Amino acid sequence: MNPRHSNPNLPPSIELHIEELVLHGFPPGDRHHIQEAVRTELERLFAERGSPQAFSHGGERSHLDAGGFRLAADTRSETVGRQIAQSLFSSLTVNPE
């Protein structure tokens, strides 16, 4: 039994699995840094702000689009990952389908 479900004072736990992260226009060598930054920032956002409404009843999603954005050519991969995670989290909050 999951202790989080038996104690209403604890926030519900969620499991987030990103099967594929599609990035266009980034050097292949940056992918692991971007991926790690996305994971770290999503963990921070869920811990800080809680689960978006999209996850209130299971919330399984087959596809989620972070949208497009412009970055300076010298933007660090960690910054790119944080921005992607923030866009994803925001889309879950705005479009809870």
Side-chain angles (χ1 to χ4, degrees):
M1 175 162 64
N2 185 337
R4 292 185 179 273
H5 293 295
S6 62
N7 185 342
N9 296 324
L10 292 175
S13 64
I14 65 165
E15 181 177 325
L16 181 64
H17 174 74
I18 301 173
E19 186 172 321
E20 182 177 29
L21 180 62
V22 179
L23 302 170
H24 298 284
F26 296 97
D30 288 351
R31 70 177 187 241
H32 295 296
H33 294 291
I34 293 171
Q35 176 186 4
E36 181 62 20
V38 169
R39 185 192 62 76
T40 301
E41 182 67 2
L42 282 173
E43 285 179 355
R44 185 190 72 76
L45 290 167
F46 278 103
E48 188 176 279
R49 300 181 188 171
S51 297
Q53 189 66 26
F55 291 110
S56 64
H57 300 292
E60 186 172 321
R61 306 284 290 270
S62 62
H63 177 263
L64 190 59
D65 188 345
F69 39 86
R70 295 189 181 269
L71 299 166
D74 60 345
T75 302
R76 293 182 41 185
S77 54
E78 291 80 6
T79 302
V80 172
R82 281 194 303 272
Q83 186 168 350
I84 291 169
Q86 290 165 3
S87 293
L88 289 170
F89 192 85
S90 178
S91 72
L92 289 170
T93 304
V94 175
N95 302 312
E97 314 171 346

